């Protein structure tokens, strides 16, 4: 799994699981454990053309607290999805 490369404002939760070669990307939100490791098998099963991003909880580092509410987490994730795909 690779974190997107960028400046200090790089996404905190968006993880490029599979770069793909075209089409619309698939965005998958983490499960209860907070990480996106299980998304890798899904991405492989979809084939190399499918771009797949995982939204991983920032709290998996053991330092960052999780969002205070589900709504706040969802808004933070949505903001990151919109950076990767502004429309559609």
């Amino acid at each position: 799994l690779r974190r997107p490369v960028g400046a200090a404002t790089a996404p905190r939760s968006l993880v490029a699981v599979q770069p793909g070669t075209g089409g619309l990307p698939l965005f998958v939100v983490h499960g209860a454990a907070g990480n996106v490791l299980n998304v890798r098998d899904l991405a492989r099963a979809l084939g190399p053309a499918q771009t797949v991003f995982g939204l991983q909880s920032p709290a998996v580092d053991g330092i960052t607290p999780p969002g205070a509410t589900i709504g706040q987490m969802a808004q933070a994730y949505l903001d990151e999805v919109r950076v990767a795909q502004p429309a559609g």
Side-chain angles (χ1 to χ4, degrees):
L1 303 179
R2 296 179 296 125
R3 306 260 313 142
V5 178
T9 59
R12 293 180 48 197
S13 299
L14 194 64
V15 178
V17 177
Q18 179 167 283
T21 57
L24 294 174
L26 173 66
F27 295 89
V28 181
V29 178
H30 62 80
N35 66 49
V36 293
L37 292 174
N38 57 338
V39 175
R40 182 179 49 196
D41 291 337
L42 171 64
R44 287 183 180 161
L46 293 172
Q50 179 64 57
T51 300
V52 179
F53 289 98
L55 287 154
Q56 179 164 281
S57 172
V60 297
D61 65 8
I63 300 168
T64 308
T69 68
I70 296 293
Q72 289 171 335
M73 288 173 57
Q75 185 61 58
Y77 293 166
L78 182 56
D79 292 344
E80 292 195 29
V81 167
R82 286 184 175 148
V83 169
Q85 183 178 330

